[in-house]
Amino acid sequence: MAEAQLEEQVALVIDAVRASARQGTRLVTVDGFSGSGKSRIADAVGLALVAPVLTLEELYPGWDGLAAAVPPAVDWIARPLAEGRPARWWPWDWTRNARTGARELAPTPVVLLEGCGAGATALRPYTDIAVWVECDPATRDRRLRARPDWPGYAPFRARWAAQEDAWHARERTRERADLVIVNR
């Protein structure tokens, strides 16, 4: 049953991508709160479309960096791809608390960018399909606690959740999404 639900979610995103008429790279953003299932859906769509999936987790400069990840996402990933140039970004090393060596991605027909903040207003001019993944708080919390990286995330959960709440209230990312997926 859960697999069928994922297949239906993936089909919705793929249909939206196929309906997009843009030439060059089509950017699909997948946003939502932590634990909503953004990565799972983005990875499944990427697999189905043979499209790369980039994560904002590589751009957040630490646990207080949700908003700070958006300008690099625009400058290093979205704008270059829209202009037909390779994306080039410097991932955040969470252990060293510093940027690491550059990664690069040549333009492809579709690129998915997932993570809290991916539906940002600043990214919208470069976004073909903005997806919001909706999930109730209790389910999100249960999923987060089941993740293998929970012990490292747990001490920062409240701090990160406060940023998410403020960010999504200000940016109204759910309201501005092209496609809302309810993920149970």
Side-chain angles (χ1 to χ4, degrees):
M1 186 66 125
E3 192 60 37
Q5 185 180 18
L6 179 61
E7 288 173 9
E8 292 167 8
Q9 295 165 346
V10 169
L12 287 171
V13 178
I14 289 172
D15 288 347
V17 169
R18 288 188 176 142
S20 170
R22 181 191 296 214
Q23 298 298 311
T25 299
R26 288 171 285 171
L27 182 65
V28 178
T29 60
V30 183
D31 202 340
F33 288 98
S34 293
S36 64
K38 299 178 301 296
S39 299
R40 183 172 177 252
I41 291 169
D43 288 344
V45 171
L47 186 63
L49 293 176
V50 190
V53 178
L54 307 180
T55 178
L56 282 179
E57 195 168 300
E58 288 194 353
L59 299 183
Y60 304 133
W63 288 106
D64 297 310
L66 192 158
V70 173
V74 170
D75 295 339
W76 297 348
I77 296 171
R79 185 179 298 123
L81 290 173
E83 294 171 353
R85 298 182 291 117
R88 185 174 180 163
W89 67 100
W90 291 260
W92 185 257
D93 183 328
W94 289 80
T95 306
R96 290 186 12 223
N97 288 320
R99 296 259 175 227
T100 62
R103 291 187 59 202
E104 192 167 294
L105 175 70
T108 63
V110 177
V111 172
L112 289 102
L113 178 64
E114 73 84 19
C116 184
T121 302
L123 283 162
R124 285 303 300 211
Y126 310 99
T127 301
D128 292 276
I129 312 295
V131 178
W132 174 264
V133 181
E134 183 74 27
C135 186
D136 68 272
T139 302
R140 290 193 332 257
D141 188 59
R142 188 182 73 250
R143 287 178 182 162
L144 287 171
R145 291 173 187 279
R147 286 172 41 165
D149 63 349
W150 174 250
Y153 182 31
F156 304 99
R157 174 67 182 125
R159 197 158 118 194
W160 187 258
Q163 287 178 82
E164 287 181 313
D165 289 341
W167 174 262
H168 291 305
R170 183 176 65 251
E171 289 282 315
R172 298 179 23 233
T173 43
R174 185 191 192 287
E175 296 168 42
R176 294 181 178 159
D178 299 308
L179 180 61
V180 175
I181 294 176
V182 178
N183 192 16
R184 292 190 174 86

